[in-house]
């Protein structure tokens, strides 16, 4: 076993009377990085054709991601913006996207098994017209085998999502709306270029849930410039008073090169919350929702009743296979990460040539079962140590025990009944800790006894 004193504070965190605020220096990224190797550009089409010709693994949930890379405004904090919404360009894009979806209908890998979640994300799918929504929804249903209990999410903004578009979504089989509220506070919203007042959002949530035909989930962000603890408490209570079925609580990641960062540096926007202040906001979120008995589906996602299942988001964290469609869409098949072209001309050109519009592909260097166990566990807030052993080989959890003990000493986790259970501070730092575990395993590789390694 690795000795505890061999581990640095970037892995273990530091000992602090207040680990929620001070265990690590700050959250730097929203996602985990693990070792992977680029597939040479001239081989990506061939590798993709091989993947599509091979048998599909029937054990796990399979996902579809469809990307709509258009937004009406560029929200000042966001790194997902690709293209400004233009009616003609969207019409052209929908033609190509439909073609890309229908091309997949002939692939054995696609047809051999069911898809359990379809996520229509962006960008802003709510900028599509009702006719475009129905066309793409029909293409999905006619081309891809979806499970009877498929979770079909339509993501977007409240702005411009009128009753005709909502009806088109329901007619097309979408059964979940995931809408970015960010905040119900109109002043805070306008500071981020969010157009509508908070009251409008509540009215629309009321309408969507009154249809009683789809799950309604909203995103809220904490740590925004000028957002006080009281503002945050008010947002949480507004969610509770609304009829939304679920909520995501995201802490702001202040992106380098974002307009928000620029404005803050120039002094034209107030400072966002510091990491300790965001930690306090996280605590408030967990305590408020727990007190009101909202069910916790992951460290950052909550469902008020059984209507919200959170299938797509949790399956992504658990390493599920994702078939990507659209410019800028990312996928994951049999250990290969696939990224479609972000530039529209390159995307169109490849579809015209009958090719998958791949911009880049990498092959994961890590053990997929291990990454899936770790990803799924940290997303829910606990790691099953026997699952860790099954994914990498007997002795794996013992191999990591120095790190787990250090986390326990630093108030980030407790170890009991074969579980590494994240404390509230551990839940706040879960992405940092997950990355630390992956870095630890790269620095201290585990040599499993292959005879005992699980299949
Ligand atoms: C891919 S975005 C699309 C949402 C949709 N277009 C909208 O505007 O509401 C999904 C969510 O990511 C979150 N998000 C975007 N940028 C973020 C950032 N810099 N830090 C934290 N969360 C962010 C927001 O809550 C947003 O609703
Ligand atoms: S938050 Fe949504 S609408 Fe705003 S820029 Fe990002 S993806 Fe576009």
């Amino acid at each position: 076993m690795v000795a505890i004193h061999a581990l640095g504070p970037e892995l273990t965190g530091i000992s602090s009377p207040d680990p929620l605020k001070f265990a690590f220096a700050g959250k730097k990224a929203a996602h985990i990085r693990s070792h992977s190797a680029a597939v040479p550009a001239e081989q990506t089409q061939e590798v993709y054709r091989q993947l599509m010709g091979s048998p599909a693994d029937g054990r796990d949930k399979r996902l579809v991601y469809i990307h709509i890379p258009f937004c009406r405004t560029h929200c000042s904090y966001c790194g997902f913006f690709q293209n400004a919404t233009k009616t003609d360009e969207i019409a052209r894009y929908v033609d190509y996207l439909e073609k890309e979806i229908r091309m997949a209908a002939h692939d054995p890998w696609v047809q051999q098994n069911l898809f359990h979640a379809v996520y229509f994300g962006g960008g802003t799918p709510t900028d599509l017209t009702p006719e475009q929504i129905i066309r793409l929804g029909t293409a999905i249903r006619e081309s891809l085998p979806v499970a009877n209990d498929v979770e079909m999410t339509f993501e977007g903004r409240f702005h411009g999502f009128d009753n005709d578009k909502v009806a088109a979504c329901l007619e097309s089989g979408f059964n979940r709306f995931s809408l970015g509220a960010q905040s119900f506070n109109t002043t805070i919203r306008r500071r981020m270029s969010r157009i509508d007042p908070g009251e409008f959002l509540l009215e629309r949530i009321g309408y969507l849930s009154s249809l009683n035909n789809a799950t309604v989930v909203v995103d809220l962000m904490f740590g925004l410039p000028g957002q006080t603890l009281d503002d945050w408490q008010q947002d949480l209570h507004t969610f509770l008073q609304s009829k939304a079925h679920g909520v995501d609580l995201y802490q702001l990641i202040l992106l380098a090169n974002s307009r928000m960062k620029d404005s803050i540096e120039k002094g034209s926007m107030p400072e966002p919350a510091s990491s300790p202040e965001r930690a306090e906001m996280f605590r408030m979120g967990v305590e408020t929702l727990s007190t009101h008995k909202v069910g916790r589906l992951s460290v950052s996602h909550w469902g008020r009743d059984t209507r919200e299942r959170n299938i797509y988001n949790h399956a992504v964290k658990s390493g599920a296979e994702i078939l990507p469609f659209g410019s800028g869409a990312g996928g994951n098949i049999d250990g290969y990460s696939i990224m479609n072209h972000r530039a529209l001309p390159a995307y169109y050109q490849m579809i015209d040539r009958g090719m998958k519009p791949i911009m880049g592909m990498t092959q994961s260097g890590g053990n997929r079962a291990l990454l899936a166990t770790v990803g799924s566990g940290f997303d829910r807030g606990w790691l099953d140590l026997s699952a860790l052993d099954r994914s990498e080989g007997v002795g794996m959890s013992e191999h990591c025990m120095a790190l787990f003990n250090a986390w326990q000493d630093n108030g980030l986790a407790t170890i009991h009944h074969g579980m590494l259970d994240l404390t509230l501070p551990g839940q706040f730092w879960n992405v940092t800790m997950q990355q630390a575990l992956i870095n630890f395993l790269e620095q201290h590789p585990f040599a499993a006894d292959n005879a005992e390694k699980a299949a």
Side-chain angles (χ1 to χ4, degrees), residues 217-419:
V217 180
V218 294
D219 293 342
L220 289 178
M221 288 170 72
F222 59 94
L224 296 165
Q227 185 186 38
T228 63
L229 266 178
D230 283 349
D231 294 330
W232 177 233
Q233 182 71 271
Q234 187 56 50
D235 271 344
L236 293 163
H237 280 287
T238 306
F239 160 73
L240 288 167
Q241 283 151 16
S242 81
K243 295 277 191 308
H245 304 100
V247 65
D248 261 301
L249 306 186
Y250 292 124
Q251 65 168 307
L252 171 71
I253 308 279
L254 186 59
L255 300 171
N257 305 325
S258 61
R259 265 197 306 123
M260 182 177 274
K261 191 157 200 288
D262 253 21
S263 309
I264 292 164
E265 278 167 5
K266 282 191 203 125
S268 56
M269 200 183 273
E271 286 287 329
S274 63
S275 178
E277 285 163 347
R278 291 200 304 273
E280 203 44 53
M281 290 171 143
F282 178 77
R283 183 209 302 277
M284 185 179 267
V286 173
E287 286 177 357
T288 305
L289 297 181
S290 305
T291 306
H292 289 83
K293 306 296 177 209
V294 184
R296 195 157 187 195
L297 301 176
S298 81
V299 289
S300 58
H301 191 83
W302 307 75
R304 206 201 293 267
D305 60 23
T306 49
R307 193 156 221 165
E308 169 55 348
R309 297 178 293 164
N310 194 35
I311 292 178
Y312 183 87
N313 290 330
H314 182 64
V316 169
K317 299 280 172 59
S318 310
E321 299 196 299
I322 310 168
L323 186 64
F325 296 102
S327 166
N332 169 35
I333 298 171
D334 199 17
Y336 288 88
S337 291
I338 298 156
M339 178 56 71
N340 274 358
H341 273 288
R342 283 175 67 86
L344 291 172
Y347 173 77
Y348 296 152
Q349 206 180 52
M350 290 192 76
I351 292 181
D352 278 337
R353 289 158 67 195
M355 297 160 104
K356 185 72 181 172
I358 298 171
M359 177 174 75
M361 196 187 247
T362 57
Q363 187 176 20
S364 165
N367 172 343
R368 281 164 55 204
L370 172 72
L371 290 173
T373 303
V374 170
S376 164
F378 275 84
D379 186 46
R380 280 186 306 199
W382 68 85
L383 194 55
D384 179 344
L385 299 181
S386 58
L388 204 57
D389 286 344
R390 278 197 303 280
S391 67
E392 185 76 355
V394 172
M396 172 66 174
S397 52
E398 202 46 41
H399 176 74
C400 302
M401 204 45 81
L403 180 60
F404 297 163
N405 282 331
W407 283 346
Q408 182 163 252
D409 293 346
N410 290 336
L412 295 164
T414 56
I415 303 165
H416 62 91
H417 302 93
M419 293 281 170

Side-chain angles (χ1 to χ4, degrees), residues 22 44 55 62 86 90 97 131 139 174 203 221-222 244 255 263-264 279 298 303 311 318-319 380 410 420 432 446:
F22 301 114
T44 55
R62 303 201 309 165
K86 286 196 193 111
I90 294 188
L97 181 56
E131 296 70 32
F174 287 97
E203 207 181 285
M221 288 170 72
F222 59 94
L255 300 171
S263 309
I264 292 164
S298 81
I311 292 178
S318 310
R380 280 186 306 199
N410 290 336
L420 179 84
T432 307
F446 172 63

Side-chain angles (χ1 to χ4, degrees), residues 77 80 122-123 155-157 180 182 194 219 221 250-251 253:
Y77 52 84
F80 296 100
E155 184 187 60
R157 292 174 74 148
Q182 323 310 358
R194 305 294 287 196
D219 293 342
M221 288 170 72
Y250 292 124
Q251 65 168 307
I253 308 279

Side-chain angles (χ1 to χ4, degrees), residues 148-221:
N148 267 347
D149 63 346
V150 67
E151 176 192 87
M152 258 181 88
T153 301
F154 198 84
E155 184 187 60
R157 292 174 74 148
F158 289 90
H159 187 75
F161 192 32
D162 61 29
N163 293 1
D164 291 345
K165 294 185 185 187
V166 174
C169 286
L170 295 175
E171 189 185 325
S172 307
F174 287 97
N175 53 24
R176 185 171 182 266
F177 297 117
S178 174
L179 298 166
Q182 323 310 358
S183 171
F184 293 104
N185 180 308
T186 305
T187 311
I188 294 173
R189 293 176 54 71
R190 298 243 157 103
R191 210 174 271 146
M192 301 183 292
S193 324
R194 305 294 287 196
I195 305 157
D196 298 306
E199 301 75 50
F200 174 75
L201 272 54
L202 279 175
E203 207 181 285
R204 294 307 290 164
I205 293 172
Y207 173 73
L208 291 169
S209 47
S210 74
L211 298 173
N212 206 13
N213 200 8
T215 312
V216 182
V217 180
V218 294
D219 293 342
L220 289 178
M221 288 170 72

